[in-house]
Structure formats: structure tokens, C-alpha cells
């Protein structure tokens, strides 16, 4: 009888493993919010961790530097300007000091966190956006255009704001007949996908206010769903079957009649929150109340969604923050990092590809989206689209101030927090493009602190020498291994000859 070995799918991510950080690197005594809202309750960028926390008589969230560990003192200052519990928080993709918060008080506020974190409670937002008639639970910054923020509320309305001016630029009031569960921008920010309590998946052009595609009954279950746009234009959804089994489905936006793939997982009650990494095309699923994180790779080969592994612990998660690729440790082949929320603790979890080499692994780290926006708000509003501006992670990424950073502070009716002067605010039309002062300041900043691309090229003088040394070490190690293998093969051959003589009775 002969057995044929099955063909193993080739993937550099098949052996990705998850590892929790040691207790001394966790953040303790954090009173994570108990709000009944199916959101991640946490947002992370390369500078800060923000966590929605319990607050008496209002809503607040904690912001600490990403390097923070140990116990959080009860007197630690928070961002506490909302009149009701905070439901969602999101960092701006184009400025690591800017964060938006959505609340049950019907408002969305935008805050500027000083470098190093808060030294006193922050109650005054730099922008307050008022346009919803019920609580607001969903935030989504535009991935390409500067200062464009999408919000969705329990009034079934989607609003798109120019945060720089505080203007409501688009409002979709009739697209959804019921509660909106999630909203996700596509790669170039020309469309969004949404899932709603009516079980339908919609693809919407927010600038024209039109629904481009609709798929009824994406998942048959009545529990909440989630949807996320993938970088190739496909959509991944999570939801529940009619038998209350949790599902993951992949959809091709060119033909929504049938899913490309459906995977059923278990019968737990927790809503599956998808976290998507466009650089690796991996999806991580964290269920609220679960003790596990599942991760999958999406490819063009059937069955399209490939289960990789599952990270399991004894403690259930209240929420999770997903660090952007700019913040991972490339020297340790870390491709993703979660910040798992326990009841009173935040625990970092690294996703790592096992590699023996100390050299930068370019195949694991393609160029990723940087801080610099490809479009200004007015350009996107005028109908322009663009691809994200990418940066290299070789040698690690260091964030530099964006040349557009001051445009958020130059809103009408509000004075810059940094200036402390009573200068008259500029007109609304001047906000989308930098003012002459902010442009000159940006040029000075660019001269003093070169951008990522120039930093990489400037570092090339030292890099070849270091790489040559590493290469010589590797070659020497390979040579020694070859000699060892040759010696072992000769020894094996000798032993096999002796064994043959014993079997033949010659000895």
C-alpha cells in the first residue's frame, strides 16, 4: 500500500506564533469601560495607547505613552470632555497626536495629545462635531485624505466631516433603515462598505451619496455583524448563521450573489471584531468575551481564506487595540501586535514569524502607509482619489511631524492650544491648504528633520559596513555547518556499512 503526501500550501505566514509579553511589560489597574457596545474600546499607534475607561458622571478615556508599563495611578490624568460614556476612539492615520472620540452624548470630539502624554486632565477638545441626533458609536478616519473623518450613529446616519474646518461635508440619511454595525473605507478612500441590522452589506460612494452595491442577508443570524474592505477590493464579513454559529465570509464586490468563501467557527455569543493587515493580507479575529484570537491569510487560491492558527489564554478579552505596522519591532520579525484588554489590565501580544537571520526581512515588511497624506481634504472633496504614500520599514520607522500638522489647529472660532495668543482665526476656506506660516514652519521642520525616505538613504553610509559584517558571519556559519553535515554523512555511511555486515553475519 502506498501513501501519497498531501501538498502543503506554501506561505511565509504558516508558522506565525503569538506570544504575550511578560507581566512587567503589562499595564495594570486600568478600569476598562463596561459600556454595552461592541467596539474594541482601545486604539493604539506608534506613540500612544488609548483605552476607554469607567468614569462616573460622563465619559473619559486614558491615553498613555506606548512605552508605559506597570500600575496606572488613580490620579492619572484622562481625556474627560464628554458628558456621557465614550463608545469609540480612533487615532488619526496622518498625525500620531490626534485622536477622535465618539460618545453617547451625540457628539464627536477631536483631541490633540501632547508629546509625552497628558500632564493634567484634558476637557477642551480642539474640534467638536455635532450632527447626530442619537449616540455616536463608529469612527473611521479617511486612509488617504487629511482631516476627513466618517462617523455613524444610532440615528442610522453617516456623516463625513472636514475636521480642519469643523464642516459637515456629506450626510447620508436614507442609506440605512436600521442600526449601522460597522463602516470601513476601501484602500483609496473612494468608497465605504457597511453592514446594518437589516443583515445587508452595502458599498457606498459617500461623495455622491449613492449606494453602489447591496447584498441582502450576508449572514442569516440576528446577532451583530462586521465588515472590512481588503486591499484588493474584496470584503470580509463576520457574523452568525441561522443556528447561531459564528461565521467568516469573503465577498467579491464585482459579484455579490454568492460568497467566495464561508468558514464556520463555533457557537460563542461574542461579536467577532476583524483586524486587517493590508501588508500581509492577514485577518485577525478577536471575539469580545473570548479567550482566543484566530488569524487567517487571504489569498487568490481556493479556498481563499486560510486558517493559520489560534492563540488561546484563560482570560477573556474585553476589547483589543491593533498597532499600526509603523510601530512593530522589525528586528524581531514582529508582523503585528495586539493590546488585549482584561478587566483591569492591558496585555501586549506579539505576532511573530520565526526567522533565524538578524537581517531586515524585506519579504515580511513591504513598504507600508506612512503619516503623510496623499490628498488634502479639499482635494478629496473635489473628487480626487490617490494611492497611499508608502514608507520603508527597513531599519525601523521613526515618526516625524507631518508638514500638514498645523492645519488642524487653524480652525475657525478656535485658537491654537500651542500658540497661547489671541490672534484672529483664519477663514474656513484657508484650512484645507496650509497657511504661509504653517508652510514655512513645515519647510523648517523638513530641513531640521528629514523625512523617512531621506533618513534611509542618509543611513546607507553606515549600513553597508554593518551588513557586510553580518554577511561574513553568516557565510562563516554556513561553511562550518557544511563541514559538520559532511562529517555526519561520512559517519552515517560508516555505521550503515557496519550494520550491513552484522546483518549478513560477517561480524
Amino acid at each position: 500500500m502506498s501513501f501519497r503526501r498531501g501538498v502543503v500550501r506554501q506561505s511565509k505566514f504558516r508558522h506565525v506564533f503569538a506570544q504575550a509579553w511578560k507581566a512587567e511589560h503589562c499595564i495594570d489597574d486600568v478600569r476598562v469601560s463596561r459600556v454595552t457596545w461592541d467596539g474594541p474600546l482601545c486604539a493604539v499607534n506608534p506613540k500612544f495607547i488609548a483605552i476607554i475607561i469607567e468614569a462616573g458622571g460622563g465619559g473619559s478615556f486614558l491615553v498613555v505613552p506606548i512605552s508605559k508599563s506597570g500600575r496606572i495611578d488613580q490620579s492619572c490624568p484622562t481625556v474627560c470632555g464628554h458628558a456621557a460614556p465614550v463608545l469609540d476612539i480612533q487615532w488619526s492615520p496622518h498625525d500620531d497626536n490626534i485622536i477622535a472620540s465618539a460618545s453617547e452624548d451625540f457628539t464627536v470630539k477631536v483631541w490633540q495629545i501632547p508629546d509625552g502624554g497628558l500632564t493634567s486632565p484634558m476637557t477642551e477638545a480642539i474640534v467638536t462635531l455635532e450632527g447626530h441626533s442619537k449616540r455616536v458609536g463608529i469612527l473611521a478616519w479617511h486612509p488617504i485624505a487629511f482631516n476627513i473623518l466618517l462617523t455613524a450613529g444610532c440615528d442610522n446616519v453617516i456623516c463625513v466631516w472636514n475636521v480642519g474646518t469643523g464642516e459637515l461635508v456629506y450626510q447620508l440619511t436614507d442609506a440605512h433603515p436600521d442600526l449601522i454595525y460597522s463602516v470601513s473605507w476601501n484602500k483609496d478612500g473612494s468608497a465605504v462598505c457597511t453592514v446594518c441590522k437589516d443583515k445587508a452589506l452595502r458599498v457606498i460612494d459617500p461623495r455622491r451619496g449613492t449606494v453602489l452595491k447591496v447584498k441582502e442577508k450576508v449572514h442569516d443570524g440576528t446577532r451583530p455583524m462586521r465588515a472590512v474592505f481588503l486591499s484588493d477590493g474584496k470584503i470580509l464579513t463576520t457574523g452568525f448563521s441561522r443556528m447561531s454559529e459564528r461565521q467568516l465570509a469573503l465577498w467579491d464586490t464585482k459579484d455579490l450573489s454568492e460568497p467566495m468563501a464561508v468558514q464556520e467557527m463555533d457557537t460563542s455569543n461574542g461579536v467577532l471584531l476583524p483586524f486587517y493587515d493590508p501588508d500581509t493580507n492577514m485577518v485577525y479575529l478577536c471575539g469580545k468575551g473570548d479567550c482566543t484570537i484566530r488569524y487567517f491569510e487571504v489569498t487568490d487560491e481556493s479556498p481563499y481564506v486560510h486558517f493559520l492558527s489560534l492563540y488561546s489564554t484563560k482570560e477573556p478579552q474585553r476589547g483589543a487595540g491593533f498597532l499600526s505596522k509603523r510601530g512593530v519591532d522589525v528586528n524581531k520579525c514582529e508582523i503585528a501586535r495586539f493590546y488585549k484588554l482584561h478587566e483591569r489590565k492591558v496585555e501586549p501580544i506579539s505576532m511573530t514569524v520565526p526567522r533565524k537571520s538578524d537581517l531586515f526581512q524585506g519579504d515580511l515588511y513591504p513598504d507600508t502607509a506612512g503619516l503623510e497624506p496623499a490628498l488634502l481634504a479639499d482635494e478629496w472633496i473635489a473628487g480626487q482619489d490617490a494611492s497611499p504614500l508608502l514608507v520603508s520599514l527597513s531599519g525601523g520607522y521613526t515618526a516625524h511631524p507631518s508638514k500638514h500638522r498645523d492645519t488642524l489647529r487653524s480652525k475657525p472660532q478656535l485658537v491654537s492650544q500651542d500658540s497661547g495668543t489671541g490672534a484672529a482665526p483664519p477663514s474656513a476656506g484657508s484650512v484645507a491648504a496650509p497657511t504661509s506660516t504653517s508652510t514655512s514652519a513645515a519647510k523648517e521642520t523638513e530641513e531640521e528633520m528629514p523625512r523617512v525616505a531621506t533618513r534611509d538613504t542618509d543611513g546607507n553610509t553606515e549600513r553597508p559596513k554593518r551588513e557586510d559584517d553580518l554577511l561574513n558571519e553568516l557565510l562563516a556559519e554556513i561553511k562550518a555547518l557544511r563541514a559538520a553535515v559532511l562529517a555526519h554523512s561520512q559517519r552515517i555511511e560508516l555505521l550503515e556499512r557496519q550494520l550491513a555486515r552484522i546483518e549478513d553475519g560477517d561480524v
Side-chain angles (χ1 to χ4, degrees):
M1 183 182 291
S2 63
F3 294 93
R4 190 176 66 178
R5 289 183 62 184
V7 178
V8 178
R9 187 180 69 90
Q10 295 298 313
S11 169
K12 61 177 78 77
F13 304 115
R14 277 198 309 123
H15 302 294
V16 170
F17 67 94
Q19 188 169 26
W21 289 23
K22 293 180 180 178
E24 58 262 30
H25 299 301
C26 296
I27 304 175
D28 298 307
D29 279 355
V30 178
R31 297 169 295 125
V32 178
S33 173
R34 296 179 177 274
V35 67
T36 55
W37 186 257
D38 291 318
L41 304 180
C42 180
V44 192
N45 69 20
K47 278 189 179 181
F48 300 105
I49 306 168
I51 306 136
I52 302 175
I53 58 172
E54 281 290 291
S60 63
F61 59 95
L62 179 73
V63 177
V64 294
I66 197 166
S67 57
K68 171 70 178 172
S69 61
R71 183 175 173 274
I72 296 289
D73 194 88
Q74 295 304 308
S75 61
C76 182
T78 61
V79 180
C80 49
H82 282 287
V86 177
L87 300 180
D88 195 15
I89 47 177
Q90 293 291 330
W91 291 103
S92 166
H94 304 125
D95 189 332
D96 284 341
N97 294 70
I98 298 296
I99 188 169
S101 59
S103 169
E104 289 188 0
D105 65 6
F106 309 172
T107 69
V108 172
K109 294 179 183 285
V110 181
W111 314 83
Q112 184 184 326
I113 308 300
D115 286 329
L118 301 177
T119 54
S120 59
M122 182 174 282
T123 56
E124 292 297 321
I126 51 174
V127 183
T128 297
L129 308 174
E130 298 177 330
H132 290 280
S133 59
K134 291 186 179 179
R135 60 181 181 166
V136 190
I138 297 171
L139 299 169
W141 288 96
H142 195 284
I144 306 298
F146 187 56
N147 278 350
I148 295 292
L149 176 66
L150 181 148
T151 63
C154 294
D155 51 5
N156 313 334
V157 172
I158 286 180
C159 297
V160 181
W161 308 84
N162 180 348
V163 174
T165 62
E167 291 177 89
L168 174 59
V169 290
Y170 301 109
Q171 189 173 37
L172 287 78
T173 55
D174 303 322
H176 301 87
D178 214 326
L179 180 66
I180 301 165
Y181 285 142
S182 80
V183 181
S184 172
W185 291 97
N186 66 352
K187 185 178 180 179
D188 65 0
S190 60
V192 296
C193 69
T194 69
V195 281
C196 176
K197 197 172 182 179
D198 66 355
K199 303 182 186 178
L201 167 68
R202 293 173 174 83
V203 180
I204 298 171
D205 181 341
R207 285 177 293 199
R208 289 192 292 164
T210 55
V211 178
L212 306 176
K213 304 254 182 170
V214 181
K215 170 59 182 173
E216 307 288 345
K217 282 202 175 181
V218 178
H219 296 278
D220 290 328
T222 56
R223 300 274 298 144
M225 301 182 294
R226 291 292 183 273
V228 60
F229 250 122
L230 307 187
S231 56
D232 60 0
K234 296 184 180 69
I235 297 173
L236 185 135
T237 61
T238 64
F240 293 79
S241 70
R242 192 179 285 105
M243 305 301 293
S244 296
E245 290 178 308
R246 293 198 292 190
Q247 293 179 324
L248 168 80
L250 183 67
W251 304 86
D252 187 346
T253 47
K254 296 172 186 172
D255 180 12
L256 291 174
S257 58
E258 292 294 331
M260 294 176 65
V262 177
Q263 288 200 18
E264 293 187 345
M265 279 161 277
D266 54 28
T267 54
S268 178
N269 289 329
V271 176
L272 286 170
L273 305 178
F275 296 91
Y276 174 61
D277 178 0
D279 298 336
T280 60
N281 230 29
M282 286 177 61
V283 177
Y284 303 84
L285 299 184
C286 297
K288 296 203 75 172
D290 285 8
C291 301
T292 58
I293 298 174
R294 294 174 173 85
Y295 39 107
F296 302 79
E297 184 181 1
V298 183
T299 70
D300 294 329
E301 306 168 13
S302 180
Y304 307 111
V305 180
H306 308 273
F307 175 73
L308 293 175
S309 191
L310 177 145
Y311 170 74
S312 184
T313 60
K314 294 179 181 178
E315 295 291 327
Q317 56 225 10
R318 300 280 297 277
F322 188 57
L323 178 62
S324 71
K325 188 56 67 72
R326 293 181 291 109
V328 299
D329 189 344
V330 298
N331 298 317
K332 294 181 179 176
C333 295
E334 181 187 44
I335 58 168
R337 189 188 307 163
F338 282 90
Y339 285 82
K340 176 180 173 179
L341 303 188
H342 297 250
E343 192 170 349
R344 293 187 69 87
K345 183 173 82 169
V346 182
E347 177 185 42
I349 299 168
S350 290
M351 302 288 178
T352 306
V353 177
R355 292 278 173 95
K356 292 182 179 178
S357 174
D358 291 332
L359 296 174
F360 175 72
Q361 304 294 303
D363 62 322
L364 299 182
Y365 301 103
D367 289 356
T368 192
L371 278 176
E372 209 58 53
L375 295 173
L376 295 177
D378 282 0
E379 292 172 335
W380 181 78
I381 292 166
Q384 291 187 41
D385 290 318
S387 297
L389 300 181
L390 305 180
V391 294
S392 171
L393 293 178
S394 177
Y397 178 80
T398 304
H400 297 303
S402 167
K403 65 183 178 182
H404 302 301
R405 184 170 176 176
D406 287 339
T407 54
L408 182 58
R409 304 174 196 168
S410 55
K411 323 164 302 309
Q413 92 268 355
L414 289 173
V415 181
S416 164
Q417 288 188 338
D418 292 352
S419 64
T421 62
S427 66
S430 67
V431 180
T435 60
S436 58
T437 344
S438 66
T439 308
S440 61
K443 284 180 181 172
E444 287 171 19
T445 310
E446 285 185 82
E447 288 169 9
E448 291 169 12
M449 302 184 87
R451 311 224 82 73
V452 177
T454 53
R455 181 184 58 78
D456 281 350
T457 51
D458 292 344
N460 281 342
T461 53
E462 296 178 8
R463 193 170 298 147
K465 187 178 177 183
R466 188 171 69 250
E467 288 182 356
D468 284 345
D469 291 342
L470 287 169
L471 187 59
N472 289 333
E473 286 177 22
L474 284 171
L475 289 171
E477 190 176 345
I478 290 168
K479 193 173 179 181
L481 285 171
R482 278 180 180 163
V485 168
L486 184 61
H488 282 302
S489 64
Q490 289 171 349
R491 175 67 177 157
I492 290 167
E493 192 178 345
L494 177 63
L495 291 171
E496 284 175 342
R497 283 203 299 268
Q498 289 177 356
L499 181 62
R501 286 204 301 272
I502 292 169
E503 288 174 344
D504 293 341
D506 294 343
V507 179

